Amino acid sequence: MTRTVVESKTKTAVIGFDEPFCVIGERINPTGRKKLAAELEAGDFSTVEKDAVAQVAAGANILDINAGVVYNSNPNPNETEPPLMTKIVEMVQGLVDIPLCIDSSVPGALEAGLEMAEGRPLLNSVTGEEERMELVLPLVKKYNVPVVAISNDDTGISEDPDVRFAVAKKIVERAADFGIPAHDIVVDPLVMPIGAMATAGQQVFALVRRLREELGVNTTCGASNVSFGLPNRHGINNAFLPMAMGAGMTSAIMNPCALPVGPSKIAEKRAAVEAAGIVLPEGMDDETFCQLFGLGSTQFRPGSEMAAIRAANLLTNNDPHGGEWIRFNKPPAAPGEEGAGGRRGRAGGRRRRA
């Protein structure tokens, strides 16, 4: 069965048909995050550090690293993105020990990330555009790494699933010309928003089955795309992910964390509680208050999508004896005792070459 092996210096993540679903944490990405983009341009990496540790603690198997900031001081990403990618990859490797996914539309940034990454990272991404394949596939071969293949080409993103399948097939065949095996290609069949296309879910499930049965490749997706623009997005995502897994999808690029509850939301809820005449114990801290009134938590914690994925792993016998499900549902560690997935310092070294 197809197995795509992704490695850090000390850990291995396997994306495969008979493997637990692989979660690729998406948070280290400034796209659509103005605060993070401003921090990165200013040389402030505190949010990157927090997001790296939180995602591993929440259960991510691989971390996606995207340095796509358009600097106000220099709008040329070909100049600014490669050194920023190098810095972020180096920093994240010093904090956590899971494999990385190097994510960029700038070829120089892809190579900068590959040079700095330890082990065998996943490369994100190549498309069916001729120019992109000619730029990215040689890097895939040179560094002997697996790659995400996105099912769009020079004509854009087709709403026709047969066209998207044909693009994926073209990439797999072109990769073979470079000596890149199908097991090192993870196809993203492109999930459309269900709010804009009622058949989007059905389309992607059928596409995943074809990609698995006809091309023998692993698959991934931007999981939250399916719920874009709709209310209760977590509810949709929680249903979509197990259904995609049942169709044969083997990984997803997603946020594994539930975001912390902010001070303004806590203050608003406290005011509503007081207005209802409910008397709270004196000195009740915010975390206890959030837990008591169902707001969530003041800390990063695994999102509800992670529970859906863990349950699906258990039900498909990809969690032998339920060990991961049991560990996942243990009470959270007390403050100061978390330490999940983290490490101090960086042992140095570069990724091994083929």
Side-chain angles (χ1 to χ4, degrees), residues 126-129 133 137 147-153 156 158 160-176 180-182 185-190 207-208 210-212 214-220:
V126 66
T127 66
E129 297 167 288
M133 287 191 289
L137 292 178
V147 64
V148 174
I150 302 179
S151 298
N152 68 282
D153 60 12
S158 174
D160 185 340
D162 290 334
V163 172
R164 300 207 300 278
F165 177 84
V167 173
K169 184 177 180 181
K170 177 174 72 173
I171 298 172
V172 171
E173 291 173 346
R174 183 65 60 84
I180 301 165
I185 299 172
V186 181
V187 173
D188 181 347
L190 294 170
L207 260 174
V208 166
R210 286 193 70 189
L211 290 164
R212 174 171 176 156
E214 297 181 37
L215 299 185
V217 294
N218 282 306
T219 46
T220 195

Side-chain angles (χ1 to χ4, degrees), residues 331-354:
E337 297 179 1
E338 296 89 347
R343 72 182 187 190
R344 299 291 180 186
R346 182 174 183 271
R350 294 290 184 271
R351 62 171 303 280
R352 59 176 172 77
R353 301 289 180 86

Side-chain angles (χ1 to χ4, degrees), residues 9-314:
K9 186 177 180 180
T10 58
K11 286 193 172 179
T12 299
V14 179
I15 305 172
F17 296 170
D18 294 322
E19 299 287 335
F21 194 74
C22 185
V23 174
I24 304 170
E26 70 179 6
R27 292 282 296 166
I28 304 175
N29 186 340
T31 304
R33 300 180 69 187
K34 292 182 179 179
K35 179 176 179 291
L36 176 57
E39 288 177 356
L40 292 175
E41 184 170 4
D44 178 359
F45 296 91
S46 56
T47 297
V48 169
E49 293 173 345
K50 291 175 185 176
D51 283 344
V53 173
Q55 289 182 103
V56 176
N61 307 109
I62 298 171
L63 289 187
D64 188 84
I65 308 293
N66 185 304
V69 181
V70 177
Y71 286 0
N72 292 319
S73 57
N74 183 354
N76 185 353
N78 292 304
E79 295 178 359
T80 60
E81 195 169 332
L84 181 59
M85 177 67 80
T86 297
K87 177 66 176 177
I88 295 176
V89 168
E90 182 179 28
M91 176 176 295
V92 170
Q93 287 179 152
L95 292 170
V96 300
D97 56 5
I98 68 171
L100 303 182
C101 176
I102 309 301
D103 182 358
S104 180
S105 60
V106 176
L110 290 176
E111 186 149 27
L114 290 170
E115 282 290 340
M116 181 54 63
E118 300 168 338
R120 190 175 195 250
L122 178 64
L123 199 64
N124 188 8
S125 57
V126 66
T127 66
E129 297 167 288
E130 292 297 330
E131 181 180 3
R132 186 71 177 176
M133 287 191 289
E134 290 299 320
L135 288 170
V136 176
L137 292 178
L139 287 177
V140 174
K141 180 62 177 178
K142 176 182 176 181
Y143 289 90
N144 184 31
V145 294
V147 64
V148 174
I150 302 179
S151 298
N152 68 282
D153 60 12
D154 306 81
T155 64
I157 300 173
S158 174
E159 293 187 359
D160 185 340
D162 290 334
V163 172
R164 300 207 300 278
F165 177 84
V167 173
K169 184 177 180 181
K170 177 174 72 173
I171 298 172
V172 171
E173 291 173 346
R174 183 65 60 84
D177 293 339
F178 284 87
I180 301 165
H183 65 250
D184 273 341
I185 299 172
V186 181
V187 173
D188 181 347
L190 294 170
V191 177
M192 305 295 188
I194 194 77
M197 180 186 295
T199 59
Q202 294 168 303
Q203 276 194 11
V204 78
F205 302 148
L207 260 174
V208 166
R209 291 188 187 97
R210 286 193 70 189
L211 290 164
R212 174 171 176 156
E213 294 168 3
E214 297 181 37
L215 299 185
V217 294
N218 282 306
T219 46
T220 195
C221 69
S224 64
N225 288 353
V226 72
S227 61
F228 182 78
L230 292 174
N232 190 10
R233 295 186 66 185
H234 292 293
I236 296 171
N237 298 343
N238 292 345
F240 169 76
L241 282 162
M243 293 176 74
M245 292 167 67
M249 187 169 284
T250 47
S251 69
I253 302 170
M254 55 179 282
N255 178 13
C257 303
L259 300 183
V261 182
S264 59
K265 189 171 184 179
I266 294 172
E268 181 182 335
K269 185 67 174 180
R270 281 186 180 272
V273 167
E274 291 173 5
I278 299 173
V279 179
L280 299 174
E282 187 175 348
M284 176 182 283
D285 62 82
D286 285 348
E287 179 64 19
T288 303
F289 178 82
C290 286
Q291 296 289 335
L292 183 63
F293 288 95
L295 290 183
S297 173
T298 59
Q299 306 297 319
F300 281 99
R301 68 194 195 288
S304 58
E305 288 89 344
M306 292 301 293
I309 288 169
R310 301 281 190 182
N313 281 335
L314 178 63

